[in-house]
Amino acid sequence: MNTASPKMLQCSDMTVLERQNACLKWQQEQLQQQQQQEQQSYFSELSGVFSSQVQGFQGGLVSGDSVLGDMVMTRQVKPDPGLETAWHEMEKVDMAAMGFGPCGYSNGPDFDMNYAISRTSSCPTFVAAAVAAQAVEVKGKESIVSEKMGSTVGRGSFKKRKVDTLQNSKVVAEDDSKRIKACAEEGESKITGPNTNKSSSSNNKNKKETSTGTSKENSKVSDVQKPDYIHVRARRGQATDSHSLAERVRREKISERMKYLQDLVPGCNKITGKAGMLDEIINYVQSLQRQVEFLSMKLAAVNPRPDFNIDNLFAKDVFPSCATNFPAVGMSSEMANNPPYVQFNPVEQVVSSCGLEMGINSLDMALRRTISAPVSIPYASFLDSSCFTQIQPSATWDVELQNLYNVAFDQEGSMPFPSQPFTGTLLEKQNWGPELI
Amino acid sequence: MNPQHLNASSLKSRFTRRFLRALTKINAQKPISSSSPREIFQRYGRIKAAADKSMANSVRSRRTWSRAMLWKLRSRSYRQASSGRRSAVKTSTTTSHQAIRKKTNHEKENKPTKTGEDQVGFVVQADELRELVPGGEAMDLCNLLDETAHYIKCLTTQVQVMKKIVDFYSL
């Protein structure tokens, strides 16, 4: 991103808008960095920011179509890094067209909007310039809010802003307005995201300043000054009744969510079209639910050791990191009761290593190495799970463990007996009851 | 080894803790070593309910699907507790639906004036999705997709954690 700045500086015909756009990109970069953070903290920050800022915005928030709400939504909905990398590339492409401007011009959303405009390749720079020119006028009250919005809104909102800027440009630059509008139309048609939402704050301003000469401009505005009031404008060449406008907003929302789902569900990239996507999503949810059932069945069948100190164990082991306390605790208890514990060290190493899989593998190896010591082997096999708990008398463990050891020393670890009703029932998932009775 | 710092309150950790606690409780109730298939099946039902419950509790009431799931589970447990009384079942299910609708209506800020044009093509799939996602019956497509996304995320977490638990158990 920074590489573009020298280019930008060299542009001779830089307009204020272009400079603003460059600043916007900057902010975007920072935004991207911020996007790495947790969604929730972001969300709370967002909501905190907004709630403290303008009441009108809250009014806008309440109404689902408000920009703010949508922005929040996008924040919530799109954390994925995949998008960000794509965004990054887009930014690089656009960088060339942008000028570097004074960053003091802090109209966040305007920047974003301008950026968004340039992002859509269909819009030439002059559009951006026009937009920027307009954006300059738009400042003022919205500066604070827009900055916040700019800083907190994710990529999805950029799309929205794009629409806004397009519309802003239409409003302001009358000469270029029609051309810009045409561009905007093209751009918008290419964009499926919720474009109109973002326009609210800035469009509000635009509306006020530029009057409402063109009724054909489309922008959704959630008025900052007048809460609970959404202005929606029809796009040029499209129906202007409120129904279709509201529907368009909904459609854009839905498509935005579909995109997010597309990222969540693996293997959905090739599928286009909502119907196919929905089918994939349905299949995926079904498969996940079945997996949960399968795993809980397996858990029911597998014989757990008594006196599992599971909470301790899992809190550390399920997650990649392992607590340092763990081996120490286990060591002390184990050593006290079972001094000749050959496997302890490898097991301890296993436990302290990251990830269960690694632990399982090394445990397996450790067990195989010490195959000559029957008592300790079975004990070691349970060490991972039960280790740092009370010691069971070896005798009672032996039988059970040796069964386990003989039968299930493969990585899957499923016992034959439980697996029988298991697989049987799996085959006929729908008929649990009669089968097992 | 440097232990990484866990996000102690992440969804995964919350779910894991709750689920493990429930699991130990279930395992403590009956000796497992010599279970008949029927007992295993019963335990399976309990474990699955525990998994769903711990997942829904980890999400609290922030999501419609979690609320719906908790409702279902609670009504089911009431039903089991009072197995003889049919009326309890009926009332619980109807009230649960009403409660879900109330909650969803409460949080829905804007109702679309027209739903036909948007959803002509997807009504069938949307209905299927509604069946899958708990609490989806009373949601419009927009919120349904939202809930689905979060539900998928939680399901994947659940599957991951349970897989690891199973691996552990079967060592």
Side-chain angles (χ1 to χ4, degrees):
Chain A
M1 294 290 265
N2 292 329
T3 58
S5 43
K7 268 194 223 172
M8 295 191 279
L9 287 167
Q10 292 164 10
C11 290
S12 56
D13 56 338
M14 281 200 304
T15 62
V16 169
L17 178 63
E18 290 173 347
R19 291 200 195 106
Q20 290 175 5
N21 291 340
C23 271
L24 187 59
K25 280 187 206 162
W26 253 56
Q27 289 184 4
Q28 285 174 5
E29 289 183 36
Q30 291 166 7
L31 264 180
Q32 286 170 10
Q33 292 165 12
Q34 292 172 8
Q35 281 178 7
Q36 303 305 325
Q37 297 168 12
E38 250 190 21
Q39 258 183 0
Q40 294 199 357
S41 62
Y42 230 151
F43 192 95
S44 57
E45 170 193 273
L46 237 186
S47 50
V49 162
F50 284 120
S51 59
S52 64
Q53 286 292 326
V54 182
Q55 284 191 357
F57 254 78
Q58 286 201 341
L61 245 181
V62 171
S63 60
D65 287 333
S66 71
V67 172
L68 197 55
D70 278 326
M71 290 195 326
V72 166
M73 201 95 74
T74 50
R75 222 54 207 92
Q76 221 178 354
V77 162
K78 293 204 177 186
D80 39 7
L83 255 182
E84 293 190 6
T85 54
W87 189 251
H88 224 295
E89 294 169 6
M90 293 284 289
E91 288 177 357
K92 283 183 187 158
V93 169
D94 292 331
M95 291 271 277
M98 302 284 245
F100 186 81
C103 284
Y105 243 40
S106 62
N107 224 351
D110 291 336
F111 284 140
D112 293 342
M113 294 192 290
N114 296 335
Y115 191 75
I117 290 184
S118 64
R119 187 172 178 261
T120 50
S121 50
S122 62
C123 293
T125 23
F126 78 86
V127 176
V131 173
Q134 179 184 358
V136 176
E137 300 175 7
V138 177
K139 292 177 195 172
K141 295 180 193 173
E142 304 183 79
S143 59
I144 299 173
V145 177
S146 54
E147 263 224 8
K148 293 284 184 180
M149 295 199 313
S151 62
T152 52
V153 178
R155 286 195 198 138
S157 59
F158 283 115
K159 279 188 188 170
K160 296 178 193 170
R161 289 183 184 151
K162 177 171 54 169
V163 175
D164 295 340
T165 51
L166 291 174
Q167 293 158 9
N168 291 342
S169 64
K170 291 178 202 171
V171 176
V172 174
E174 294 181 1
D175 288 345
D176 297 331
S177 62
K178 301 218 169 154
R179 265 179 281 164
I180 290 170
K181 276 184 210 170
C183 265
E185 289 306 323
E186 296 172 14
E188 286 190 10
S189 63
K190 291 180 188 176
I191 292 161
T192 55
N195 293 325
T196 56
N197 296 320
K198 180 42 174 108
S199 57
S200 60
S201 58
S202 47
N203 281 337
N204 250 342
K205 275 264 159 179
N206 297 338
K207 268 173 54 183
K208 286 176 197 166
E209 295 181 352
T210 61
S211 79
T212 61
T214 53
S215 61
K216 293 186 182 173
E217 298 169 1
N218 69 350
S219 58
K220 274 191 93 183
V221 182
S222 63
D223 200 339
V224 175
Q225 282 77 24
K226 306 174 203 167
D228 301 75
Y229 199 176
I230 295 182
H231 298 272
V232 181
R233 293 224 179 126
R235 288 185 205 175
R236 174 177 179 163
Q238 296 194 8
T240 58
D241 60 323
S242 59
H243 289 309
S244 56
L245 284 172
E247 266 190 55
R248 192 181 317 124
V249 170
R250 275 196 71 246
R251 246 181 279 137
E252 286 165 350
K253 268 198 212 173
I254 287 176
S255 53
E256 181 201 3
R257 302 226 171 104
M258 294 284 296
K259 279 211 188 128
Y260 180 63
L261 277 168
Q262 205 170 16
D263 296 326
L264 264 186
V265 178
C268 256
N269 306 323
K270 312 141 195 169
I271 298 174
T272 52
K274 289 189 200 168
M277 269 294 306
L278 274 176
D279 282 333
E280 272 300 314
I281 292 168
I282 287 170
N283 287 339
Y284 188 59
V285 170
Q286 275 174 347
S287 78
L288 282 177
Q289 284 176 340
R290 269 187 238 128
Q291 262 181 312
V292 169
E293 286 178 15
F294 173 77
L295 286 170
S296 53
M297 191 65 184
K298 208 167 179 184
L299 273 177
V302 166
N303 219 346
R305 318 309 144 225
D307 294 327
F308 262 164
N309 201 349
I310 292 181
D311 275 322
N312 272 351
L313 193 75
F314 272 101
K316 332 284 183 176
D317 258 320
V318 170
F319 310 110
S321 70
C322 298
T324 46
N325 294 337
F326 226 13
V329 169
M331 178 85 81
S332 55
S333 64
E334 290 297 311
M335 288 315 207
N337 295 307
N338 222 352
Y341 216 42
V342 187
Q343 294 87 359
F344 207 104
N345 284 332
V347 171
E348 179 202 87
Q349 284 166 14
V350 160
V351 168
S352 55
S353 66
C354 293
L356 257 181
E357 291 73 22
M358 215 192 328
I360 293 172
N361 286 336
S362 16
L363 186 60
D364 194 359
M365 290 187 327
L367 285 166
R368 291 211 174 110
R369 255 184 272 130
T370 58
I371 208 166
S372 55
V375 175
S376 45
I377 291 172
Y379 211 113
S381 70
F382 291 107
L383 186 65
D384 228 14
S385 40
S386 66
C387 50
F388 309 86
T389 64
Q390 311 131 17
I391 308 296
Q392 305 299 317
S394 318
T396 60
W397 287 78
D398 274 0
V399 177
E400 218 180 344
L401 298 178
Q402 281 180 6
N403 283 342
L404 251 189
Y405 175 69
N406 295 332
V407 169
F409 214 35
D410 51 333
Q411 288 303 319
E412 292 141 7
S414 53
M415 307 182 40
F417 167 68
S419 67
Q420 281 167 14
F422 213 4
T423 50
T425 52
L426 268 180
L427 287 176
E428 307 173 28
K429 258 184 169 298
Q430 311 309 325
N431 311 326
W432 287 115
E435 179 148 5
L436 290 179
I437 289 174
Chain B
M1 280 231 144
N2 286 343
Q4 298 170 18
H5 287 292
L6 283 175
N7 188 353
S9 64
S10 74
L11 176 70
K12 204 177 190 182
S13 54
R14 289 200 302 266
F15 168 69
T16 314
R17 263 183 246 128
R18 285 201 173 91
F19 184 52
L20 285 171
R21 258 180 251 146
L23 207 53
T24 44
K25 263 189 231 166
I26 291 175
N27 288 333
Q29 281 168 8
K30 282 190 187 173
I32 300 174
S33 47
S34 57
S35 306
S36 65
R38 179 174 201 157
E39 281 177 20
I40 291 183
F41 176 59
Q42 280 176 352
R43 203 171 343 126
Y44 148 73
R46 264 183 241 128
I47 289 179
K48 180 160 183 296
D52 290 337
K53 194 172 187 187
S54 27
M55 177 50 74
N57 274 324
S58 306
V59 181
R60 294 287 168 194
S61 297
R62 286 198 300 263
R63 286 280 166 176
T64 313
W65 70 262
S66 66
R67 290 196 290 265
M69 194 181 256
L70 283 172
W71 247 113
K72 265 189 232 166
L73 290 166
R74 274 184 210 140
S75 64
R76 204 195 305 167
S77 66
Y78 294 156
R79 210 186 313 157
Q80 285 173 355
S82 59
S83 52
R85 289 184 288 149
R86 302 273 173 183
S87 56
V89 174
K90 282 182 191 165
T91 51
S92 61
T93 46
T94 48
T95 49
S96 73
H97 275 289
Q98 287 166 9
I100 292 169
R101 274 195 209 99
K102 266 190 226 160
K103 289 166 192 162
T104 52
N105 289 339
H106 184 61
E107 62 173 11
K108 260 198 283 188
E109 284 104 20
N110 67 326
K111 288 202 174 187
T113 50
K114 270 194 209 167
T115 58
E117 184 181 324
D118 258 343
Q119 302 180 353
V120 160
F122 324 123
V123 172
V124 174
Q125 287 108 337
D127 286 342
E128 282 184 32
L129 202 53
R130 285 206 176 90
E131 285 171 32
L132 284 178
V133 176
E137 305 90 3
M139 284 194 274
D140 60 335
L141 186 61
C142 212
N143 291 334
L144 181 66
L145 291 178
D146 222 9
E147 296 285 325
T148 307
H150 193 260
Y151 185 55
I152 286 179
K153 200 174 76 146
C154 292
L155 275 180
T156 47
T157 314
Q158 206 175 4
V159 165
Q160 274 177 25
V161 172
M162 288 176 78
K163 267 192 198 160
K164 287 198 174 166
I165 294 179
V166 167
D167 288 340
F168 238 43
Y169 263 32
S170 55
L171 267 181

